[in-house]
Amino acid sequence: MADLTLVVLAAGMGSRYGGLKQLDPMGPNGETIMDYSVFDAVRAGFNRVVFVIRRDFEAEFKERIGKKYEKLLKVDYAFQQLDDLPDGFTVPEGREKPWGTGHALLAARNILDTPFAVINADDFYGADSYKQLAGYLSNPPESGLVRGVIATFILSNTLSENGSVARGICSVDNDGYLRKVTEFTKIVKTSSGAADQTDPENPTPFTGNEQVSMNSWGFMPEFIGKLQELLIEFLKERGTELKSEFYLPGAVDTLISRNEAVISARNSRDSWFGVTYREDRPMVQESLGKLVEAGSYPSPLFDREA
């Protein structure tokens, strides 16, 4: 088995949730969603985890989260900082919003030299998604292009009852390759499925059966260089804006459109769930409890004496 790294994007501000949801207990014995992610990744063959976090909660994160994994796999950290930009670029006056998931991944650019997966800290993806990612990363196809894989989920299974969500709608060809990811930032449930309400006067309807990106990706190391190039392009075009974001799905979509990347799409058999709003928490706790009762996970998840 090749060395495989799991990158966990955990630097989000949690503005809609109202706190550091990455550290909230969700499992029957106080486990966080990240605990289940790392557990599933280790079972799938990952032997290293890199947490992308912010400096302001570094000590608490390492004490409450990172140290419990140190006997399971190698643990490293990277730090997303607003002013961590390529030469020639500066943060515009008044900007406080982070630069997005693509920028967050680049915080780990100097320590990613093996095949890696990248996930959100506050999303539960299920064991099958990690098996899909590890299977690809352990034996990627030969290609002169940027190589990668995405574990997709069904849109209707990723919506919140408590507000809008951002999702990347995926187009997959008959050979199982990702052709396009279109980011929608205000998707809500409707009586007929779902709709993006970015423009309330002209909402974009969905059936709910669409495959979506939940930021569950796998890449070979060469992806990082391309991502850096795309960040520079983004900053040239939108770097003076106060709220623009450099989304990872958008970066992948650009590479596909330029015929610079080949991304295998693997639809996960498991259900996704996550915490976008604080009101989502009871549903997540109930779902994890059912999985533990069914024997999918031990209880407690980790040996507290380890």
Side-chain angles (χ1 to χ4, degrees):
M1 177 70 74
D3 286 333
L4 300 179
T5 296
L6 176 69
V7 181
V8 181
L9 303 182
M13 297 179 70
S15 57
R16 287 179 293 181
Y17 183 73
L20 293 179
K21 58 186 173 182
Q22 297 91 342
L23 304 183
D24 266 6
M26 296 289 176
N29 291 279
E31 295 91 349
T32 67
I33 288 179
M34 278 183 290
D35 289 338
Y36 290 93
S37 296
V38 173
F39 184 87
D40 281 334
V42 170
R43 287 198 292 186
F46 288 84
N47 54 14
R48 180 190 184 210
V49 61
V50 174
F51 291 106
V52 178
I53 61 175
R54 300 198 314 270
R55 288 282 186 188
D56 61 296
F57 59 80
E58 175 184 1
E60 182 183 10
F61 191 98
K62 288 183 175 180
E63 177 64 27
R64 291 180 56 186
I65 300 295
K67 69 182 298 183
K68 74 177 74 173
Y69 310 132
E70 290 174 354
K71 291 188 177 182
L72 296 173
L73 72 176
K74 180 176 172 55
V75 180
D76 289 309
Y77 299 89
F79 301 93
Q80 186 179 19
Q81 301 177 92
L82 197 61
D83 60 355
D84 180 18
L85 298 174
D87 291 343
F89 296 95
T90 58
V91 180
E93 184 178 356
R95 178 164 185 132
E96 297 180 357
K97 187 176 183 64
W99 292 103
T101 51
H103 179 259
L105 176 57
L106 284 173
R109 61 191 178 277
N110 294 325
I111 57 174
L112 292 178
D113 56 0
T114 65
F116 65 91
V118 55
I119 63 167
N120 294 333
D122 50 1
D123 291 338
F124 178 91
Y125 297 98
D128 187 59
S129 65
Y130 296 95
K131 293 176 184 176
Q132 299 275 16
L133 297 177
Y136 176 94
L137 294 173
S138 298
N139 189 29
E142 294 293 332
S143 173
L145 304 177
V146 172
R147 294 163 293 167
V149 60
I150 179 174
T152 64
F153 295 81
I154 301 302
L155 174 60
S156 61
N157 294 333
T158 72
L159 301 176
S160 172
E161 298 285 351
N162 301 298
S164 64
V165 296
R167 298 288 181 260
I169 304 296
C170 299
S171 298
V172 179
D173 67 21
N174 292 333
D175 295 320
Y177 290 100
L178 186 66
R179 303 313 307 164
K180 187 173 181 59
V181 183
T182 306
E183 192 76 18
F184 293 88
T185 58
K186 266 194 167 180
I187 299 180
V188 298
K189 280 188 175 183
T190 66
S191 58
S192 58
D196 179 75
Q197 296 186 336
T198 302
D199 179 0
E201 299 298 321
N202 297 285
T204 302
F206 300 107
T207 66
N209 295 320
E210 293 81 2
Q211 293 186 53
V212 298
S213 161
M214 299 304 302
N215 265 352
S216 179
W217 301 91
F219 299 106
M220 304 308 290
E222 69 265 17
F223 176 72
I224 292 297
K226 288 293 185 180
L227 191 62
Q228 288 180 290
E229 294 174 8
L230 292 176
L231 176 62
I232 291 173
E233 291 183 22
F234 168 83
L235 292 171
K236 286 179 178 178
E237 295 178 6
R238 306 187 63 186
T240 60
E241 299 175 10
L242 299 184
K243 294 187 177 182
S244 58
E245 291 190 64
F246 180 54
Y247 291 115
L248 184 55
V252 174
D253 185 59
T254 297
L255 293 177
I256 293 173
S257 69
R258 295 176 179 177
N259 294 318
E260 295 180 11
V262 55
I263 308 296
S264 178
R266 311 284 179 91
N267 190 241
S268 175
R269 293 189 293 265
D270 290 330
S271 295
W272 171 96
F273 50 84
V275 181
T276 302
Y277 301 92
R278 185 167 292 276
E279 292 81 3
D280 295 329
R281 184 177 177 183
M283 178 277 294
V284 172
Q285 292 174 318
E286 180 182 1
S287 298
L288 288 173
K290 289 180 179 178
L291 287 171
V292 171
E293 290 177 4
S296 299
Y297 296 94
S299 182
L301 194 60
F302 298 110
D303 182 355
R304 298 185 184 277
E305 300 301 319

